[in-house]
Amino acid sequence: MMATKSSIDVELGSSSSQDEDLPTAKRPKREEQTSEETPRRKITINIGARGTLHVWDAEDAVKMQSVYHVMGTTVGCFAKTPLQDIFKSLPFQLTPAEAAYLRDIGAARFVDEAVLRKFPTAVQQEAFREQREKQFNDQHKEFDKARQFQLDERKEQIMAGKIRKMTEAAAVSGIPLNLPEDREELWQTIRNELLSRPMVQEGSARIELPFRSWKVDMGLAELEEITFSYPQTHPERVYYAAYLELMKAGFWVTSGMKYGGDLLLYEGDVHVNHSTCIVRIVDETEETSLEDILRIGRVATACHKAVLWASVRKDYTVDFTCSKWSLMK
């Protein structure tokens, strides 16, 4: 087992010649801002009634991941596939540590959703119904345009099918089939008949995407900006101390729950790289049993990862020890 002390200026796993397989990373590029520049836009984090932390804005989510390397977790669903939970959409839910990190580097603002818990007034309900009807009519027009384009694109296929069905119906009924000689005239007749069918009905076709509160979008409510307090307890300070050190060192960090750890460590973009370490955060004053070490070691070995032990001292400085069974002689 090899031990390395962490600091902002020292890369993890670089203090020993035997640590070639341990992770190293470059610090992420941060947005620079001088006093004369326009203040940068901050990521808006909504604090829910139960303390949930959500990022609803798509631009904020992209900036959060690409610039600050904070990943979050998508918890919304796609409108066209609401019954599956493999591919998810906005909003992004953040852990308290992720939100606190964005706060501490001056990249986030927090708003309170408490006002949204109030039941809407009669005036607000009527305004909502009018706005929803307007949006439905606007989308209905766009749908009709798209349908006309689709019909024209499949003109020959539709005409052949219609002529075949009309010929079969005429043979069954014994009534002679009189079709226009001009194919364009025939197509216009078929096209108009298809377009006259009501394809969209508000009661069955309306899909409301949960991107933002309608009260806020319509100017009927304003979310108050508040402060976000984390960490508050000793376990929270221990966890955040380790998380903060890893983020400052330039790593990409996500939850390690699926591997039985506290965090997962990536040397590069999470979307294109596999994690290299399972991070276990321990309080220096607490004992770690041999069984716990063996359990996480077996899991890490099976997943081809190392275990990074983050030992947090009483003053909340962090010592990192990296263990990998393949390195032990």
Side-chain angles (χ1 to χ4, degrees):
M1 300 176 70
M2 284 68 68
T4 58
K5 297 294 180 63
S6 73
S7 69
I8 299 176
D9 298 320
V10 179
E11 293 182 342
L12 301 182
S14 61
S15 63
S16 172
S17 61
Q18 299 179 358
D19 294 348
E20 295 179 358
D21 293 332
L22 301 185
T24 58
K26 296 179 179 179
R27 296 184 198 173
K29 295 180 179 180
R30 307 296 186 194
E31 289 187 343
E32 299 295 335
Q33 176 186 343
T34 63
S35 58
E36 297 180 356
E37 293 178 346
T38 303
R40 62 187 177 186
R41 169 183 168 176
K42 292 187 177 182
I43 296 169
T44 299
I45 301 177
N46 292 47
I47 302 181
R50 299 184 178 180
T52 54
L53 301 160
H54 290 143
V55 174
W56 289 92
D57 190 275
E59 293 183 7
D60 284 350
V62 172
K63 184 177 181 180
M64 176 182 72
Q65 292 190 351
S66 61
V67 177
Y68 303 115
H69 300 179
V70 174
M71 302 310 297
T73 305
T74 49
V75 294
C77 71
F78 289 104
K80 293 185 177 180
T81 54
L83 300 181
Q84 56 83 36
D85 61 353
I86 299 175
F87 301 102
K88 296 186 178 180
S89 181
L90 291 172
F92 278 82
Q93 183 169 325
L94 306 184
T95 65
E98 290 173 328
Y101 174 72
L102 291 173
R103 175 203 63 199
D104 291 345
I105 62 175
R109 58 187 290 270
F110 298 84
V111 294
D112 187 10
E113 291 183 338
V115 66
L116 303 180
R117 298 199 298 269
K118 298 179 181 179
F119 195 79
T121 64
V123 175
Q124 291 178 332
Q125 294 181 50
E126 182 61 28
F128 173 71
R129 281 192 290 268
E130 292 177 358
Q131 181 69 12
R132 184 166 61 179
E133 183 178 357
K134 179 181 180 300
Q135 291 178 350
F136 176 80
N137 292 332
D138 292 343
Q139 293 178 24
H140 198 303
K141 293 177 182 178
E142 295 299 322
F143 176 84
D144 287 342
K145 291 179 183 178
R147 180 161 173 75
Q148 293 175 22
F149 176 78
Q150 292 172 354
L151 291 177
D152 292 338
E153 215 176 26
R154 301 174 56 197
K155 174 181 176 180
E156 296 300 327
Q157 182 181 353
I158 294 173
M159 283 185 62
K162 281 291 185 180
I163 293 173
R164 185 181 68 254
K165 289 181 180 180
M166 288 188 290
T167 303
E168 294 173 353
V172 172
S173 63
I175 302 175
L177 179 63
N178 296 319
L179 295 176
E181 294 182 2
D182 186 358
R183 288 183 61 84
E184 187 61 31
E185 181 183 349
L186 174 61
W187 167 243
Q188 289 301 325
T189 302
I190 296 173
R191 185 175 186 270
N192 292 335
E193 189 271 330
L194 291 174
L195 290 175
S196 66
R197 298 178 182 177
M199 298 295 294
V200 180
Q201 297 180 358
E202 184 176 359
S204 60
R206 186 181 65 245
I207 297 175
E208 297 175 1
L209 300 179
F211 287 119
R212 293 180 184 85
S213 167
W214 60 272
K215 291 183 181 179
V216 177
D217 278 349
M218 295 173 61
L220 301 176
E222 185 175 349
L223 301 184
E224 180 184 357
E225 187 167 347
I226 59 175
T227 58
F228 174 62
S229 300
Y230 178 92
Q232 293 181 321
T233 65
H234 177 67
E236 289 176 348
R237 294 188 182 95
V238 168
Y239 183 93
Y240 186 60
Y243 177 87
L244 186 61
E245 281 293 306
L246 294 172
M247 291 297 291
K248 286 181 177 179
F251 293 101
W252 296 62
V253 183
T254 65
S255 171
M257 184 181 299
K258 63 181 177 181
Y259 291 109
D262 296 300
L263 300 168
L264 279 181
L265 201 65
Y266 295 78
E267 296 183 54
D269 191 340
V270 173
H271 299 100
V272 295
N273 291 280
H274 288 288
S275 58
T276 55
C277 288
I278 301 173
V279 182
R280 285 295 300 271
I281 302 172
V282 294
D283 189 338
E284 187 184 48
T285 60
E286 299 178 359
E287 294 184 357
T288 302
S289 67
L290 179 59
E291 288 81 2
D292 288 340
I293 296 175
L294 292 175
R295 289 190 192 103
I296 193 65
R298 291 294 294 269
V299 172
T301 301
C303 300
H304 306 287
K305 305 181 190 301
V307 179
L308 189 64
W309 297 89
S311 179
V312 183
R313 298 184 179 184
K314 293 180 180 179
D315 59 355
Y316 300 110
T317 57
V318 188
D319 295 333
F320 289 98
T321 303
C322 188
S323 63
K324 191 172 182 181
W325 287 16
S326 63
L327 298 179
M328 299 175 67
K329 304 298 182 181

